[in-house]
Amino acid sequence: MDYTYSILILLMPLISFLILGLAGMKMSHKTAGLIGTCSLGVVTLVSYMTAFTYFTADRLADGTFATIVPYNFTWLPLGRLHFDLGILLDPISVMMLIVISTVSLMVHIYSFGYMHGEKGFQRYYAFLSLFSMSMLGLVLATNIFQMYLFWELVGVSSYLLIGFYYPTHAAVAASKKAFIVTRFADMFFLIGILIFGYYVQSFSFSFVGTDVVMADGTEPFIQANMAKAIAAGGFIIPTALVLMFIGGAGKSAMFPLHIWLPDAMEGPTPVSALIHAATMVVAGVFQIARMFPLWIQYAPGSMSIIVWVGVFTAFYAAAVACAQSDIKRVLAFSTISQIAFMMVALGVSLPGHEAVLDNHTQLGYMAGMFHLFTHAMFKACLFLCAGCIIHAVHSNEMNLMGGLRKYMPITHVTFLISCLAIAGIPFFSGFCSKDEIITACFEYSPWVGWIMTGIAAMTAFYMFRLYYGIFWGTENKEAHEHHTPHEAPATMTIPLIVLCCITMGVGIYSTIAGFAGWGGNFGEFVSAAGTPYTIHFDTQIAITSTVIAILSICLATYIYKGESQPIADRLYKQFPRLHRAAYKRFYMDEVWMYFTHKIVFRLFSHPIAWFDRHVVDGTFNFMAWGANEAGESLRPWQSGDVRQYAVWFLTGSVALSLVLLAM
């Protein structure tokens, strides 16, 4: 099939960014918003057309999907090792096109109402276009270096959007924190890329194991020289992959590099939805999935690092979420925990004895990608609902909310459905993907399976604690006297309904298909080997996880639904230190502050600064002083006085004659 039109997926948001960035201040808010939204509308239409064509027409004879490269050209040749730019279409990149374009379009539409009247409205839409283009370029990259270029563009875009309210000190500090922490992690990513490129002599993704077809039928890439890397030492590829994983852990906010994400809530709420659902934080998961064939074949032992980092991060973030009072920060730590679920799913995908992609590998990989898809929809809905709530009550704090269900019926229903989805209740999309992850975890290790089941129960608990704190509980009548809450305008509620319908539709179909063993479910399109894989629910695990999730919801209902919460108050008083530690994120920000200020500064930064001031600056200052003094000494010789020149000429001539006579 001809996919030359796919270039529009990158061109449209780029053109929108340039127009709004260069001429946005000369146009009205409505015009700027329409330009940004219409460009994403075209991107969404082209993405859906690409996905439909790809998944229906480009399956090979053995049932796998072809990897298609409609565009690829050499940007920077360095002999055999060269940097390419292009577009690559395979199952996970096409799936990501659907996720990114759908959520981004909903955020663009939603922002019409949420950002109405804000100073810098045109600038906001320009940054949104840049953010969307950067993430689309990342998932369509034909090689790992192109991925890194767009990876950094994603970081720049997030910096601009998190710090959008730049007159506010907290927003500026949060944007710098996000930029610095992710740049620190990206340093390891770059080192891993350079090690990989040096030994393999290629940056391409041709190791994916599927047929790569160009528009003219030629092979676009040099096959990766893995034999050379293995001959140089079996640790080369695992080391490069682990370094790349550190970069992904920073971008996806894995412990201990998670500290930037909660503070990123200082940006506009629609930006939070875009970052948490479809763009920045899933980049790390996508990177592991893209490099997955290398992990399976050359570094299966190192995958335990992914598993245990993911397990600990999921538990840590869930524990912190149980104690937060800011609704956006509850959702932020929920995102950290759910991204960790995806990481664990990829990590438990160990190969069989012959290092081939067996059913277990298919299950873990497919479950991680499936959860990425479902989580993007219901988490975007949750964040946009939070924006509607903040828009109505002008606060992020739960203690200033309560009883909002009668004022905001649409937000209430969509938020409840999204909570049921993330809690893992049957017939909602989160149940299908999370159950597959837990099944893969049990096959990997019963310990990991039970731990992840417990964390899933914590997820149901803290999400319904949030739900009851917002929509039930004690109504803040004092605040409502001055400002009665109301439902958001249609531009804000329509995206909620669309995302909620996707969550329900995917959940109902996948649940029925999973129990019935039908084909055509998510595993049919996205699996580790590219071959069709039918989801079959493990009935025992599905029932167990569902019962535990329902019990967690019942516990949250018992504690938080009423007008008052005596049990919660009693627990706070009985365990004040534990509650405060969880509320303060177990002091991880303070640990990093101590590490950077007391250890890094004193042991590294201070000596380097001293060396810079006294040795580097001293050397160049001495050279400048010497040149200046030489000039001062020679300046009298160039006075323009002819008599002085004659004296010097005669003196020199006599001195030279005497020297020659002496010789």
Side-chain angles (χ1 to χ4, degrees), residues 55-349:
F55 285 124
T56 57
D58 282 302
R59 184 168 288 182
L60 302 177
D62 60 355
T64 61
F65 289 102
T67 299
I68 298 171
V69 184
Y71 292 96
N72 190 68
F73 66 93
T74 299
W75 171 51
L76 190 62
L78 295 173
R80 185 180 177 189
L81 187 63
H82 49 86
F83 301 141
D84 293 346
L85 295 177
I87 293 177
L88 183 148
L89 300 175
D90 71 345
I92 60 170
S93 65
V94 174
M95 181 272 291
M96 288 299 296
L97 288 182
I98 298 298
V99 171
I100 296 168
S101 61
T102 301
V103 175
S104 185
L105 179 61
M106 294 301 105
V107 167
H108 275 72
I109 296 171
Y110 181 92
S111 297
F112 255 107
Y114 190 86
M115 300 297 291
H116 177 71
E118 287 281 358
K119 182 180 179 181
F121 186 88
Q122 300 93 331
R123 173 168 54 90
Y124 170 82
Y125 267 90
F127 293 163
L128 277 187
S129 296
L130 178 63
F131 204 167
S132 301
M133 187 273 293
S134 302
M135 192 64 195
L136 290 165
L138 189 154
V139 301
L140 292 174
T142 60
N143 59 87
I144 194 169
F145 199 85
Q146 181 185 346
M147 174 187 278
Y148 182 76
L149 293 178
F150 283 99
W151 183 281
E152 294 303 319
L153 270 178
V154 168
V156 172
S157 306
S158 66
Y159 169 79
L160 295 171
L161 285 168
I162 294 169
F164 176 77
Y165 297 122
Y166 61 87
T168 306
H169 175 74
V172 174
S175 64
K176 290 192 294 185
K177 186 176 183 180
F179 191 78
I180 292 169
V181 172
T182 53
R183 291 298 75 69
F184 172 74
D186 292 349
M187 174 185 68
F188 295 95
F189 187 18
L190 180 59
I191 294 172
I193 291 173
L194 296 177
I195 292 174
F196 179 83
Y198 176 78
Y199 283 98
V200 176
Q201 287 295 296
S202 175
F203 292 117
S204 80
F205 290 140
S206 58
F207 52 76
V208 294
T210 54
D211 293 335
V212 182
V213 181
M214 287 286 283
D216 58 0
T218 60
E219 289 286 337
F221 300 127
I222 303 169
Q223 283 298 320
N225 186 13
M226 296 298 177
K228 179 181 177 181
I230 296 171
F235 63 91
I236 294 295
I237 298 300
T239 300
L241 291 174
V242 170
L243 289 171
M244 294 181 200
F245 168 67
I246 295 174
K251 194 72 80 180
S252 290
M254 294 292 99
F255 185 92
L257 299 172
H258 67 283
I259 56 173
W260 66 270
L261 191 58
D263 291 348
M265 298 301 96
E266 296 295 336
T269 302
V271 172
S272 301
L274 197 57
I275 290 176
H276 286 251
T279 54
M280 189 169 179
V281 294
V282 299
V285 177
F286 180 81
Q287 183 231 90
I288 302 299
R290 174 59 77 203
M291 308 298 288
F292 191 75
L294 289 184
W295 282 98
I296 286 293
Q297 189 167 358
Y298 298 101
S302 301
M303 294 180 74
S304 59
I305 297 174
I306 301 176
V307 174
W308 291 108
V309 168
V311 168
F312 184 81
T313 301
F315 173 75
Y316 164 84
V320 174
C322 290
Q324 299 300 302
S325 59
D326 184 315
I327 62 173
K328 287 178 68 176
R329 280 175 169 76
V330 174
L331 295 177
F333 280 100
S334 170
T335 297
I336 296 173
S337 184
Q338 296 304 303
I339 295 295
F341 265 84
M342 303 172 205
M343 288 287 192
V344 171
L346 294 174
V348 299
S349 302

Side-chain angles (χ1 to χ4, degrees), residues 383-521:
F383 265 107
L384 297 183
C385 286
C388 292
I389 295 161
I390 295 168
H391 184 267
V393 301
H394 304 291
S395 176
N396 294 19
E397 294 294 323
M398 278 193 288
N399 58 6
L400 297 178
M401 301 173 189
L404 293 181
R405 66 189 185 282
K406 57 187 177 183
Y407 298 105
M408 308 177 70
I410 297 176
T411 305
H412 171 232
V413 172
T414 52
F415 195 94
L416 175 60
I417 290 173
S418 299
C419 284
L420 291 169
I422 195 173
I425 302 302
F427 301 104
F428 297 90
S429 60
F431 163 75
C432 312
S433 55
K434 192 172 290 186
D435 187 77
E436 293 300 290
I437 292 176
I438 294 174
T439 301
C441 289
F442 270 107
E443 290 194 18
Y444 175 82
S445 165
W447 284 102
V448 175
W450 282 113
I451 292 172
M452 297 308 290
T453 302
I455 297 170
M458 294 172 68
T459 303
F461 176 81
Y462 68 67
M463 286 307 303
F464 274 84
R465 168 182 174 267
L466 179 65
Y467 164 72
Y468 286 120
I470 296 171
F471 295 103
W472 296 76
T474 304
E475 182 179 343
N476 191 345
K477 295 182 179 180
E478 183 178 344
H480 295 174
E481 289 178 1
H482 304 286
H483 181 82
T484 303
H486 57 85
E487 189 61 88
T491 52
M492 296 171 66
T493 54
I494 289 174
L496 304 184
I497 296 171
V498 172
L499 293 169
C500 194
C501 289
I502 295 174
T503 298
M504 287 289 295
V506 171
I508 292 172
Y509 178 76
S510 297
T511 302
I512 296 174
F515 281 116
W518 297 347
N521 49 38

Side-chain angles (χ1 to χ4, degrees), residues 501-570:
C501 289
I502 295 174
T503 298
M504 287 289 295
V506 171
I508 292 172
Y509 178 76
S510 297
T511 302
I512 296 174
F515 281 116
W518 297 347
N521 49 38
F522 194 86
E524 180 80 7
F525 304 107
V526 178
S527 61
T531 54
Y533 177 79
T534 303
I535 297 175
H536 294 278
F537 286 145
D538 186 309
T539 306
Q540 183 178 354
I541 293 176
I543 293 174
T544 302
S545 61
T546 301
V547 170
I548 292 176
I550 292 173
L551 290 175
S552 298
I553 294 173
C554 292
L555 180 61
T557 304
Y558 177 67
I559 296 175
Y560 294 105
K561 185 185 177 182
E563 290 285 327
S564 59
Q565 292 83 37
I567 299 175
D569 296 337
R570 190 159 58 248

